[in-house]
């Protein structure tokens, strides 16, 4: 994300590094408002927080807070501009009168202020989405959390709220998904621990096949090792067909499904399936929790990648983010089934977003689930 200077930093509107396009759009909007302050009334939904720099934020806040001047008086003198500068410098001390003059000079057409505001709002939406997605990924990696799943799901809800808010400001229309390449799925947290726990899951399910029916919410894709995922399918198939289940029958089923074609040692598979411990429900829940956290991390990474690409429109961001969030929703439903006691109904699901939203909050310019990747 672009660096936002602290309010007390000396600020130059013209940084040494080439500014992003939104910087020039913000300049045009502020210039329009300095020239014609009454045009502020044409803008809705945009706030000082929508701007990308401390100086621009301070100027828009000052313009919004001060009563607009009399148009005739404003055309004759710079009294109101001086007041804007004085007010804005309380938050950005580096501002000068020449900065305001430069903003006025770079504004092509003051009457296009609503269009400029729409662009600023779109860029702000992209930054908000990127920040919310990054918070989700950070939460997944926070080892200090006493209840990681609930905290991650809460953060996912916060991200979904941002997406819904963007959709309300930018009503969906026919479009395409973001063309930004999605990052590869992340490695499961505690990979070695995951391997050991999955081995115990498979061995315990082999020793106590009745426990397989108690974990219908656990899918092969929740396991991090492809061979383990295949063996879990074998166990479920044998249990479903009510055939004998033991290490030998599971091994034979694995051969029939081609799971040993990669060179897996049949003897090692037999030894793995012969060492049960604990319960199927316990190891299944551990695998599902790991799957949920990995899914949340990948969702956050995907949305971060979408939002980090300025070529994506708000409409594309909303569509791509909702597709990504659907993956969390699917795992979340299974997690609720796994952890909710039979006597208690699962918590209500988050209401689905409406297919159409209200009108944009800034005035338009005048006329002139995918399938989860294998790990």
């Amino acid at each position: 994300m672009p660096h936002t200077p602290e309010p007390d930093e000396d600020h130059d509107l013209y940084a040494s590094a080439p500014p992003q396009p939104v910087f020039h759009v913000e300049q045009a909007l502020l210039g329009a408002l300095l020239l014609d302050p009454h045009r502020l009334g044409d803008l809705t939904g945009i706030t000082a927080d929508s701007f990308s720099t401390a100086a621009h934020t301070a100027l828009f806040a000052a313009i919004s807070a001060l009563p607009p001047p009399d148009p005739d008086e404003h055309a004759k003198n710079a009294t109101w501009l001086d007041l804007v500068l004085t007010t804005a410098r309380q938050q950005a001390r580096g501002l000068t009168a020449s900065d305001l003059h430069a903003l006025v000079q770079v504004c092509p057409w003051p009457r296009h202020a609503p269009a400029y505001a729409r662009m600023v709002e779109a860029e702000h939406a992209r930054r908000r989405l990127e920040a919310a997605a990054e918070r989700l990924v950070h939460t997944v990696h926070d080892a200090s959390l006493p209840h990681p799943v609930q905290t991650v799901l809460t953060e996912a809800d916060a991200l979904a709220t941002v997406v819904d808010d963007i959709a309300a400001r930018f009503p969906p229309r026919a479009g395409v998904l973001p063309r930004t390449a999605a990052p590869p799925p992340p490695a499961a947290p505690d990979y070695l621990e995951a391997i050991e726990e999955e081995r115990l899951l498979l061995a315990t399910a082999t020793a106590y096949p009745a426990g397989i029916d108690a974990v219908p919410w656990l899918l092969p894709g929740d396991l991090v090792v492809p061979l383990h995922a295949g063996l879990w399918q074998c166990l479920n198939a044998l249990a479903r067909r009510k055939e004998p289940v033991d290490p030998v029958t599971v091994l034979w089923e694995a051969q029939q499904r081609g799971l040993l074609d990669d060179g897996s040692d049949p003897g090692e598979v037999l030894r793995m399936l012969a060492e049960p411990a604990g319960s199927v429900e316990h190891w299944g829940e551990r695998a599902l929790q790991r799957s949920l956290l990995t899914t949340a991390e990948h969702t956050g990474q995907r949305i971060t990648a979408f939002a980090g690409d300025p070529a994506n429109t708000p409409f594309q961001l909303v569509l791509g983010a909702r597709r990504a969030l659907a993956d969390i929703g699917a795992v979340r439903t299974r997690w609720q089934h796994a952890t909710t006691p039979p006597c208690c109904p699962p918590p209500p699901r988050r209401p689905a977003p409406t297919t159409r939203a209200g009108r944009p909050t800034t005035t338009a310019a005048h006329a002139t689930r995918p399938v989860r990747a294998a790990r």
Side-chain angles (χ1 to χ4, degrees):
M1 294 181 64
H3 168 63
T4 301
E6 295 297 328
D8 59 350
E9 286 185 48
D10 290 336
H11 180 75
D12 182 356
L13 289 180
Y14 304 98
S16 58
Q20 297 298 313
V22 69
F23 181 86
H24 301 286
V25 176
E26 292 175 4
Q27 285 188 317
L29 175 58
L30 293 170
L33 297 177
L34 292 173
L35 281 168
D36 294 332
H38 69 278
R39 295 190 182 277
L40 182 64
D42 297 334
L43 314 179
T44 58
I46 186 170
T47 67
D49 292 338
S50 302
F51 291 81
S52 63
T53 72
H56 290 177
T57 296
L59 279 171
F60 187 83
I63 294 171
S64 303
L66 295 172
D70 178 83
D72 294 333
E73 289 297 320
H74 186 57
K76 297 176 183 178
N77 58 65
T79 303
W80 185 78
L81 294 178
D82 292 339
L83 187 56
V84 168
L85 179 60
T86 301
T87 304
R89 290 187 65 181
Q90 296 176 12
Q91 301 297 324
R93 293 197 296 269
L95 283 169
T96 65
S98 62
D99 290 332
L100 271 64
H101 177 74
L103 291 173
V104 170
Q105 292 299 312
V106 300
C107 178
W109 294 102
R111 67 173 179 268
H112 292 170
Y116 304 149
R118 182 76 167 157
M119 298 172 194
V120 171
E121 190 180 1
E123 184 66 12
H124 181 227
R126 189 175 68 82
R127 293 197 304 271
R128 287 180 60 207
L129 184 63
E130 186 174 20
E134 289 175 346
R135 285 195 299 271
L136 175 60
V137 174
H138 174 77
T139 303
V140 171
H141 289 279
D142 188 348
S144 66
L145 298 174
H147 305 289
V149 169
Q150 188 55 50
T151 306
V152 166
L153 291 178
T154 298
E155 204 62 57
D157 286 342
L159 173 57
T161 298
V162 172
V163 174
D164 290 346
D165 183 62
I166 295 173
R169 293 173 181 271
F170 296 87
R173 62 188 181 190
V176 295
L177 286 166
R179 297 182 177 88
T180 309
D190 302 320
Y191 184 75
L192 295 180
E193 181 181 64
I195 293 176
E196 181 61 26
E197 291 183 355
E198 289 179 5
R199 292 170 66 96
L200 291 171
L201 166 70
L202 296 170
T204 306
T206 302
Y208 307 104
I212 297 174
D213 291 337
V215 292
W217 32 261
L218 184 66
L219 301 181
D222 295 322
L223 306 186
V224 303
V225 180
L227 175 61
H228 293 176
L231 291 173
W232 182 247
Q233 288 181 310
C234 294
L235 282 162
N236 276 270
L238 291 172
R240 184 173 58 254
R241 299 198 302 260
K242 300 186 182 305
E243 296 182 7
V245 177
D246 62 36
V248 173
T249 61
V250 175
L251 178 65
W252 187 256
E253 182 75 15
Q255 176 180 279
Q256 300 302 301
R257 292 171 176 262
L259 297 181
L260 307 181
D261 294 348
D262 61 355
S264 297
D265 181 359
E268 176 60 27
V269 173
L270 285 174
R271 286 189 291 273
M272 176 181 66
L273 297 177
E275 298 179 356
S279 68
V280 175
E281 293 89 340
H282 172 74
W283 300 122
E285 186 174 317
R286 289 284 295 171
L288 183 57
Q289 173 175 318
R290 187 176 290 107
S291 177
L292 189 152
L293 295 178
T294 303
T295 301
E297 180 181 6
H298 192 213
T299 295
Q301 291 176 341
R302 289 167 62 192
I303 296 176
T304 298
F306 296 155
D309 185 351
N312 289 322
T313 67
F315 314 104
Q316 288 176 301
L317 293 178
V318 168
L319 184 57
R322 283 180 171 168
R323 290 285 184 89
L325 285 166
D327 291 347
I328 297 181
V331 185
R332 179 183 202 158
T333 298
R334 293 190 287 118
W335 174 257
Q336 291 173 345
H337 289 162
T339 58
T340 302
C343 61
C344 304
R349 296 185 63 183
R350 187 172 181 274
T354 56
T355 55
R356 292 188 61 84
R359 292 179 60 80
T361 55
T362 49
T363 308
H366 294 295
T368 45
R369 164 176 206 276
V371 178
R372 182 171 180 174
R375 291 171 290 187

